[in-house]
């Protein structure tokens, strides 16, 4: 299966644009902010929270970072106007991290300040391991300056993560999506899972607010067990999933009384984003291929198992 997944991922750029669009439609709200807001409204109506991600491509100029930053200010304003229950998720490279860390900090701080004035919150996504130190540094700087409406993401596949936990207040824990070398990241599926559990335990022990971001049933089970054992209240943690993935499970978790937040990406760069995500994680290409094949097969064949 792994080989097939990789072959599918490599072949993706050859897949016609409309097909990629159709395949990724359920994972992306659409090209415009209005699409994202419509999706958030629907999620809120189903008692789910959201976090909005503006899809950006690699930037090479300060003004591109500024444009993304402005777009996020619009997102915050529209969330506020629409009284929607959603925060934002930002990538520091899109705000200029690799061009100039001080420009990135200015952009980030302006968003966190705007969010604070509106009673909202900013989550800093974690990107590849070349950005981990700087991302943690800018998060700590903001916290040090008194902003408590900002959180970070840690990746369970990184060997360093267990040591990074100390002193963090608000953490989304995920497995990690980038291709990383063995020196920095665990490579085995079960080792990453085991480290996820270890990191989650430490985060709860440290008293951090944790957003448990996974669709992995075993890890959801471990998280729910820890939450029960620690008698955590509904407002002391949240569960997070990506738009379009395991929606039934998310609904079930809501019915069981948990707060569930859905990651809602939107933007004109949906095509580049889709290709990159699919190639970065060949396994996802595999799910998508299976899904597409499933949709292409006549229902009659699926039902009879032919
Ligand atoms: P795993 O990949 O093992 O999936 C478990 C099961 O879920 C699969 O068997 C499949 O059934 C289903 N599934 C998972 N993904 C699917 C998909 N796309 N389509 C269909 N089914 C799917 N990463 C990162 O490096 N930095 C970040 O900031 C974030 N942020 C983030 C936010 C949120 C809310 C989530 C849920 C995830 C992230 N991630 C991330 C991505 C994360 O690191 C990871 O790559 C994915 O969540 C997949 O890992 P799972 O834990 O879901 O397990």
């Amino acid at each position: 299966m792994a080989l097939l997944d990789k072959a599918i991922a490599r072949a993706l750029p050859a897949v016609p644009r409309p097909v990629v669009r159709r395949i990724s439609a359920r994972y992306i709200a659409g090209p415009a902010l209005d699409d994202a807001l419509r999706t958030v409204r629907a999620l809120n109506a189903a008692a789910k929270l959201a976090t909005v991600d503006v899809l950006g491509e690699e930037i090479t100029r300060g003004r591109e970072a500024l444009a993304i930053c402005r777009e996020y200010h619009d997102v915050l304003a529209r969330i506020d106007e629409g009284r929607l229950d959603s925060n934002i998720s930002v990538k520091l490279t899109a705000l200029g991290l690799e061009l100039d860390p001080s420009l990135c900090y200015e952009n980030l701080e302006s968003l966190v300040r705007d969010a604070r004035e509106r009673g909202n919150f900013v989550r800093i996504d974690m990107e590849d391991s070349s950005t981990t130190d700087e991302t943690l540094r800018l998060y700590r700087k903001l916290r040090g300056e008194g902003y408590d409406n900002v959180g970070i993401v840690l990746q369970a596949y990184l060997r360093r993560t267990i040591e990074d936990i100390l002193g963090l207040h608000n953490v989304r824990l995920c497995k990690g999506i980038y291709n990383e070398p063995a020196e920095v990241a665990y490579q085995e599926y079960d080792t990453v899972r085991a480290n996820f559990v270890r990191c989650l335990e430490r985060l709860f022990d440290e008293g951090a607010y944790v957003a448990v971001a996974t669709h992995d049933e075993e890890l959801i089970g471990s998280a729910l067990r820890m939450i029960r054992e620690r008698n955590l209240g509904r407002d002391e943690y949240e569960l997070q999933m990506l738009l379009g993935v395991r929606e039934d499970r998310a609904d079930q978790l809501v019915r069981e009384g948990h707060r569930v937040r859905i990651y809602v990406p939107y933007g004109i760069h949906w095509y580049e984003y889709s290709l990159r995500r699919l190639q970065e994680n060949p396994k996802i290409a595999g799910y998508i291929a299976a899904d597409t094949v499933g949709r292409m097969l006549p229902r009659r064949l699926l039902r009879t198992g032919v």
Side-chain angles (χ1 to χ4, degrees):
M1 185 62 181
L3 271 181
L4 180 62
D5 289 345
K6 283 194 182 127
I8 293 166
R10 268 200 305 274
L12 278 168
V15 177
R17 224 176 141 89
V19 176
V20 173
R21 181 173 203 145
R22 198 173 61 77
I23 293 172
S24 53
R26 62 185 268 210
Y27 304 106
I28 292 164
L33 175 52
D34 281 339
D35 298 316
L37 297 171
R38 199 177 315 113
T39 301
V40 171
R41 210 167 291 120
L43 290 167
N44 287 173
K48 287 180 238 175
L49 319 172
T51 184
V52 173
D53 167 45
V54 179
L55 296 176
E57 255 317 276
E58 259 163 50
I59 61 156
T60 51
R61 295 195 178 87
R63 63 182 147 81
E64 292 168 325
L66 208 58
I68 297 263
C69 185
R70 277 204 211 99
E71 176 92 19
Y72 270 113
H73 281 294
D74 288 348
V75 178
L76 285 170
R78 297 285 303 277
I79 288 172
D80 204 5
E81 275 165 36
R83 307 214 177 292
L84 298 174
D85 205 335
S86 176
N87 57 39
I88 58 172
S89 287
V90 301
K91 289 192 173 52
L92 293 192
T93 58
L95 296 181
L97 186 69
E98 282 163 337
L99 300 177
D100 173 3
S102 57
L103 165 82
C104 176
Y105 185 76
E106 267 173 43
N107 288 336
L108 179 63
E109 201 224 352
S110 79
L111 288 172
V112 176
R113 193 175 343 109
D114 186 1
R116 183 167 69 182
E117 281 160 15
R118 298 177 188 279
N120 210 333
F121 176 88
V122 177
R123 172 79 57 192
I124 308 171
D125 283 348
M126 189 59 86
E127 300 176 71
D128 71 79
S129 60
S130 70
T131 65
T132 311
D133 280 334
E134 272 296 279
T135 305
L136 280 162
R137 187 178 73 79
L138 297 191
Y139 164 81
R140 290 198 171 104
K141 188 164 152 68
L142 282 166
R143 281 275 173 178
E145 284 171 15
Y147 289 106
D148 58 4
N149 64 319
V150 60
I152 198 165
V153 178
L154 291 179
Q155 298 152 320
Y157 65 12
L158 289 189
R159 295 175 191 275
R160 59 178 285 172
T161 291
I162 193 84
E163 306 298 336
D164 283 334
I165 287 170
L166 196 70
L168 299 181
H169 299 85
N170 191 318
V171 177
R172 172 199 295 152
L173 183 65
C174 65
K175 284 184 183 172
I177 197 156
Y178 299 86
N179 275 330
E180 297 286 359
E183 301 89 79
V184 297
Y186 300 112
Q187 306 289 315
E188 299 301 317
Y189 191 78
D190 285 338
T191 321
V192 174
R193 255 187 178 166
N195 200 46
F196 193 111
V197 172
R198 210 155 68 98
C199 291
L200 193 54
E201 248 159 8
R202 183 163 300 179
L203 280 164
F204 280 136
D205 289 346
E206 290 289 323
Y209 178 92
V210 191
V212 186
T214 182
H215 317 93
D216 184 333
E217 196 50 44
E218 192 169 307
L219 294 181
I220 294 173
S222 302
L224 296 182
R225 215 169 22 254
M226 287 182 217
I227 288 161
R228 254 194 324 272
E229 282 164 9
R230 286 168 172 76
N231 243 330
L232 292 182
R234 190 180 139 78
D235 294 338
E236 293 176 279
Y237 66 93
E238 64 190 51
L239 304 169
Q240 296 193 347
M241 291 192 188
L242 299 172
L243 184 66
V245 181
R246 300 208 68 196
E247 288 168 334
D248 292 349
R249 185 62 174 119
D251 286 333
Q252 192 184 0
L253 289 163
V254 168
R255 282 195 299 274
E256 287 165 9
H258 304 286
R259 297 200 323 146
V260 178
R261 189 177 301 275
I262 307 298
Y263 191 94
V264 177
Y266 85 93
I268 51 170
H269 291 295
W270 60 268
Y271 178 76
E272 295 83 349
Y273 173 87
S274 306
L275 280 193
R276 206 177 46 238
R277 288 291 113 148
L278 301 177
Q279 285 168 326
E280 269 162 4
N281 189 349
K283 265 181 59 204
I284 289 186
Y287 306 141
I288 287 170
D291 185 46
T292 313
V293 172
R295 280 195 238 176
M296 285 187 308
L297 283 176
R299 283 193 174 279
R300 146 182 82 75
L301 292 186
L302 288 176
R303 280 212 200 92
T304 54
V306 175

